[in-house]
Amino acid sequence: MLEDLCQSSTSVSLLVAIVGLLVFHHFYSSLSPQETRREPPGPTRLPLLGNLLQVDLKRLDRSLFDLSKQYGPVFTVYFGLQKVVVLAGYRTVKQALVNHAEEFGDREVTPSFIDVNNGHGIILSNGNSWKEMRRFALTALKHFGMGKRITEGKIIEECHYLIEELEQQKGKAFNNSQTISYAASNVIASMVFGKRYEYGDPVLQTLVDKDHEAIHLLATAPILIYNTFPWMGPFIQTLAYVKRIVGENKDLLKSIIADLKETLNPEMHRCFVDLFLTRKINVEESEIKDSHYHDENLVSSVLDLFAAGTDTTASTIQWCLLFMAKYPQIQDQVQEELSRVVGSRQVLLEDRKNLPYTDAVIHETQRMANISPMAFPHQTSRDITFQGYFIKKGTTVFPLLTSVLYDESEWESPHTFNPSHFLDEEGKFIRREAFLPFSAGRRVCLGESLAKMELFLFLTSLLQCFRFTPPPGVTEEELDLTPVVGLAVSPTSHELCAVSRQ
Ligand code: HEM
């Protein structure tokens, strides 16, 4: 009896399961492929133009941030025919880049990027070449001191040259942009070439100035239009110009590399280039096929380190000095802390833990300055269903860092310069999860630890020596915080006075 009951209840369960499966199958097979693979929502697009007319190309990150409030944290926009999935807000960006690092970790290599780097180097490459170049660059930079004492010494030496340069202005108003870029670039030069350059040296000036111009132009409307409609390439003058100046910088790098090659001693490496050349020789001798250690990868990697390591750091320093001039009470507090804790001796990295307010000001500068508002475009490396949406392999993805650094659910006053974001009630420094100016995951900034050292040492050394003020006749309120948006966001061209505190 009991057995009968069991048998009949098993048959009923089996029947229910089969009917369930049939209903499930019928339901899904009656859905269109789009419904089974629900794609992220987005604004209605026009034929050919997509959503180009609904966004402000001059401040794309802000437009996309606004759209995210309407369409949610994962949405689609079309630039012409090109589909882009935008990730917005701290939780979504982190979930994608960290929890799904592999799927969201490829780089979108746009037509203009192919024109300048042909898929070589670190920033604009993918696959095994990217893996090998990134791993090599990290090892080489660590070998030459990234994150260690030797680099601290090199940065401090550069701080002294920068301070000398600012002293020569004798407190008069001047535009510090180029000088600061030369100083930041010299830190990279000392690791990559084993030497620094005088600020008046045409080699340094050409490298930095042309890089700066190319980085700015690569994010302007004509190039965005070219990336959307590549057939328009021959008609876009900006493209020809960018290709020319990048080409000139590559020629310059090739001649520096050739000089280093002539004096190469594989037993004693002076710099990144020496290590690369030695690895290249070893690989050639062992007859390894398809090696990634070739001249194009060397030139492109060096170009990448200069491009990624100069404007980013220099812009952040400039932003901080501008914020200090705009908010003199905050500058007072930084200088009071520096005088009390360090006095007049050279600031060292180990002082950071005793300078919580200064550290908070530097972090808040990075948050507000938001110098890389959309990181560099990513691409999905395989099909993925993310937050219930299907995203196909090869889709361009913008991790919207603006929406992380200004996320209203993470920051108490996202649109105000407020060092308290990084301080607890007792004034101790606190880390914030949503502080992601270096992005996250597989493509996280390779120079993060170097950049942090540079920002701390440059800024503390400068603020120890100088008081930064608006030019005579300009009030603090009149200082313009409108950003100039390129691949990196820098302040509008401006002048400040660096008044000696001695
Ligand atoms: C304040 C300074 C800096 C900021 C805010 C910054 C930020 C970033 C961001 C947002 C990315 C893109 C990450 C992504 O695509 O998700 C990036 C990539 C990169 N950064 Fe930085 N960066 C800084 C300084 C540096 C320095 C000093 C170096 C040089 C050593 C450097 C080297 C790189 C490289 C090589 C990449 C490409 C990584 C890859 O594609 O695998 N950066 N950086």
Side-chain angles (χ1 to χ4, degrees):
M1 171 81 180
L2 194 67
E3 223 175 68
D4 277 352
L5 208 65
C6 281
Q7 262 180 2
S8 72
S9 81
T10 313
S11 316
V12 170
S13 317
L14 213 71
L15 196 72
V16 169
I18 290 168
V19 171
L21 269 172
L22 283 173
V23 170
F24 183 81
H25 180 257
H26 173 76
F27 175 73
Y28 268 88
S29 54
S30 66
L31 291 177
S32 70
Q34 253 147 2
E35 284 168 310
T36 43
R37 301 174 147 200
R38 199 160 59 107
E39 298 204 345
T44 313
R45 62 184 156 134
L46 293 172
L48 221 64
L49 289 176
N51 303 111
L52 276 175
L53 302 181
Q54 285 141 289
V55 292
D56 175 3
L57 287 180
K58 288 207 189 102
R59 207 57 226 262
L60 191 53
D61 64 313
R62 296 275 158 155
S63 290
L64 297 177
F65 194 16
D66 288 343
L67 286 176
S68 75
K69 290 173 187 152
Q70 208 178 329
Y71 295 99
V74 185
F75 66 97
T76 313
V77 279
Y78 282 83
F79 296 97
L81 299 176
Q82 197 203 5
K83 176 181 175 178
V84 173
V85 168
V86 181
L87 305 173
Y90 163 66
R91 296 209 170 272
T92 297
V93 169
K94 188 175 172 206
Q95 189 188 4
L97 299 190
V98 178
N99 302 358
H100 299 279
E102 194 70 26
E103 291 91 335
F104 285 100
D106 267 5
R107 180 71 73 216
E108 153 76 357
V109 186
T110 59
S112 59
F113 288 164
I114 292 177
D115 287 342
V116 297
N117 244 1
N118 210 13
H120 297 309
I122 312 160
I123 309 178
L124 306 175
S125 59
N126 279 315
N128 289 338
S129 179
W130 165 73
K131 260 191 205 142
E132 194 64 44
M133 288 304 105
R134 182 173 167 113
R135 200 173 346 167
F136 175 81
L138 267 174
T139 316
L141 293 181
K142 280 187 188 148
H143 180 86
F144 291 107
M146 183 161 82
K148 295 192 202 141
R149 271 272 157 89
I150 333 169
T151 318
E152 180 177 28
K154 283 180 188 156
I155 302 172
I156 289 173
E157 186 194 344
E158 201 56 49
C159 287
H160 292 158
Y161 287 109
L162 181 59
I163 288 166
E164 256 175 40
E165 196 71 18
L166 263 59
E167 269 167 354
Q168 283 173 24
Q169 303 298 326
K170 300 198 169 14
K172 285 205 256 37
F174 87 111
N175 185 334
N176 55 32
S177 157
Q178 269 182 324
T179 317
I180 291 175
S181 295
Y182 297 153
S185 199
N186 259 337
V187 174
I188 305 288
S190 68
M191 297 174 108
V192 174
F193 300 143
K195 64 179 274 198
R196 69 172 296 279
Y197 295 85
E198 293 299 318
Y199 295 157
D201 191 316
V203 172
L204 181 71
Q205 293 193 344
T206 309
L207 265 181
V208 173
D209 297 351
K210 285 193 175 149
D211 242 14
H212 177 79
E213 208 181 350
I215 288 172
H216 171 68
L217 290 175
L218 277 169
T220 53
I223 300 292
L224 293 179
I225 291 170
Y226 165 62
N227 286 336
T228 313
F229 307 108
W231 54 268
M232 289 182 74
F235 311 104
I236 297 182
Q237 281 180 358
T238 314
L239 177 69
Y241 181 68
V242 169
K243 282 193 325 204
R244 181 161 69 75
I245 57 175
V246 173
E248 284 166 7
N249 260 0
K250 280 190 179 174
D251 289 343
L252 193 58
L253 293 177
K254 281 180 199 161
S255 76
I256 299 172
I257 291 170
D259 287 347
L260 286 165
K261 206 173 185 172
E262 269 184 22
T263 49
L264 178 70
N265 173 1
E267 303 299 316
M268 215 184 71
H269 296 121
R270 298 158 294 185
C271 57
F272 176 93
V273 171
D274 277 3
L275 268 185
F276 193 103
L277 290 172
T278 308
R279 180 70 69 91
K280 183 171 172 259
I281 293 168
N282 292 342
V283 166
E284 280 164 1
E285 279 171 2
S286 51
E287 294 180 7
I288 294 175
K289 287 205 182 105
D290 302 328
S291 158
H292 300 295
Y293 292 90
H294 49 70
D295 290 342
E296 286 89 349
N297 255 342
L298 173 56
V299 174
S300 293
S301 297
V302 169
L303 193 70
D304 282 353
L305 292 174
F306 271 99
T310 301
D311 259 21
T312 46
T313 315
S315 275
T316 312
I317 295 173
Q318 265 193 287
W319 273 114
C320 189
L321 301 180
L322 185 59
F323 286 135
M324 293 304 93
K326 179 119 186 136
Y327 308 117
Q329 299 88 336
I330 297 181
Q331 187 174 182
D332 285 342
Q333 290 189 65
V334 171
Q335 286 172 335
E336 184 282 321
E337 188 179 64
L338 283 168
S339 305
R340 178 166 41 82
V341 176
V342 185
S344 57
R345 73 161 164 83
Q346 171 62 51
V347 186
L348 300 170
L349 286 173
E350 64 189 28
D351 293 316
R352 189 200 292 263
K353 57 183 180 307
N354 300 320
L355 295 166
Y357 189 80
T358 307
D359 206 7
V361 165
I362 296 173
H363 279 73
E364 182 65 353
T365 296
Q366 283 204 268
R367 188 191 71 77
M368 279 294 279
N370 177 29
I371 60 141
S372 185
M374 302 193 292
F376 297 119
H378 286 224
Q379 195 177 64
T380 42
S381 61
R382 59 175 89 125
D383 289 357
I384 177 175
T385 299
F386 179 68
Q387 294 192 1
Y389 297 118
F390 175 74
I391 307 171
K392 213 174 157 38
K393 173 183 173 176
T395 305
T396 305
V397 175
F398 287 177
L400 201 59
L401 297 186
T402 301
S403 69
V404 178
L405 298 174
Y406 287 76
D407 188 331
E408 279 158 19
S409 55
E410 294 290 331
W411 304 98
E412 292 71 27
S413 52
H415 304 285
T416 311
F417 188 88
N418 176 10
S420 306
H421 284 136
F422 296 92
L423 293 168
D424 68 9
E425 279 163 10
E426 291 165 15
K428 290 201 187 101
F429 180 81
I430 44 168
R431 293 189 188 286
R432 299 292 299 262
E433 293 267 303
F435 179 74
L436 295 184
F438 298 99
S439 191
R442 236 158 66 108
R443 289 283 181 166
V444 68
C445 174
L446 179 141
E448 179 173 350
S449 63
L450 177 65
K452 284 180 172 164
M453 291 171 88
E454 286 187 66
L455 293 180
F456 180 75
L457 290 170
F458 275 123
L459 284 166
T460 50
S461 303
L462 289 174
L463 286 161
Q464 241 184 343
C465 292
F466 303 103
R467 174 100 191 146
F468 290 88
T469 63
V474 177
T475 62
E476 281 110 24
E477 291 72 34
E478 284 167 343
L479 282 178
D480 187 5
L481 295 182
T482 314
V484 178
V485 185
L487 283 183
V489 172
S490 44
T492 305
S493 171
H494 63 277
E495 293 193 332
L496 289 182
C497 303
V499 182
S500 175
R501 294 181 68 219
Q502 307 302 312

